[in-house]
């Protein structure tokens, strides 16, 4: 019931409890849970099959696990515990997802949902119109409840605390910036565009 056998010419299989568990095909491809691993003679492939999902787990003695798999509905790559995920190319880190879900490009310490360091952000529509928009939200101290898009310039607030809104209820907190407001409950700021350049007074606004 348990052993290694040869189900076909130049093919090796291993079984436990009377069931085949692994097969190495004649072309070198390997299957676990399947007797017909995918791949070709030039592109080697490891195929894992499970009726409800499959997973490869990489672990260390400290209990750190990194998993690649599928649960039958989607594929996933995960790290268990409060650890980040880093992606490398050419021996250098290019992207990191920290344990809170923030994503950094060019930085290993992202301060927001998306932090881009020493680079530009481009939107290429291939000739068609593109949109960059803020969804329904609220700016502290105002009744703005429609689409809100805020762009902050460099300031202590913008660098150290991205969770603080650019408007604190009486002052705009930022050295410079741009705020685009959409619909509001009372009708103010409907489709308005505001520019602010100082922190100790109300906005220098153009609506």
């Amino acid at each position: 019931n348990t052993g290694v056998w040869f189900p076909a010419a130049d093919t090796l299989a291993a079984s436990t409890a009377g069931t085949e568990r692994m097969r190495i095909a004649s072309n070198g491809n390997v299957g676990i849970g399947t007797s017909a691993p995918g791949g070709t003679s030039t592109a080697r492939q490891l195929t894992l099959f499970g009726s409800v999902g499959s997973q490869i787990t990489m672990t260390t003695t400290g209990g750190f696990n990194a998993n690649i798999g599928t649960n039958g509905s989607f594929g996933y790559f995960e790290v268990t515990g409060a650890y980040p995920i880093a992606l490398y190319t050419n021996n250098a880190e290019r992207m990191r997802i920290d344990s809170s879900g923030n994503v950094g490009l060019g930085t290993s310490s992202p301060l927001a949902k998306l932090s881009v360091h020493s680079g530009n952000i481009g939107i290429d529509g291939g000739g068609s119109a593109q949109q960059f928009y803020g969804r329904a939200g609220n700016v502290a101290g105002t009744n703005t409840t429609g689409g809100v898009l805020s762009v902050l310039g460099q300031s202590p607030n913008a660098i150290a605390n991205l969770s603080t809104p650019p408007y604190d209820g009486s002052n705009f907190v930022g050295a410079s910036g741009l705020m685009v407001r959409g619909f509001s409950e009372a009708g103010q700021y409907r489709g308005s565009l505001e520019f602010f350049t100082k922190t100790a007074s109300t906005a220098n606004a153009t609506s």
Side-chain angles (χ1 to χ4, degrees), residues 95-118:
M95 185 179 78
R96 177 171 294 215
I97 306 174
D98 67 18
S99 58
S100 64
N102 291 337
V103 178
L105 299 177
T107 175
S108 60
S109 302
L111 298 176
K113 286 298 182 184
L114 175 62
S115 294
V116 180
H117 179 69
S118 298

Side-chain angles (χ1 to χ4, degrees), residues 20 56 140 146 197:
E20 182 178 330
I56 296 176
T197 59

Side-chain angles (χ1 to χ4, degrees), residues 119-132:
N120 299 320
I121 299 176
I123 302 176
D124 184 358
S128 60
Q130 300 297 298
Q131 296 184 10
F132 184 72

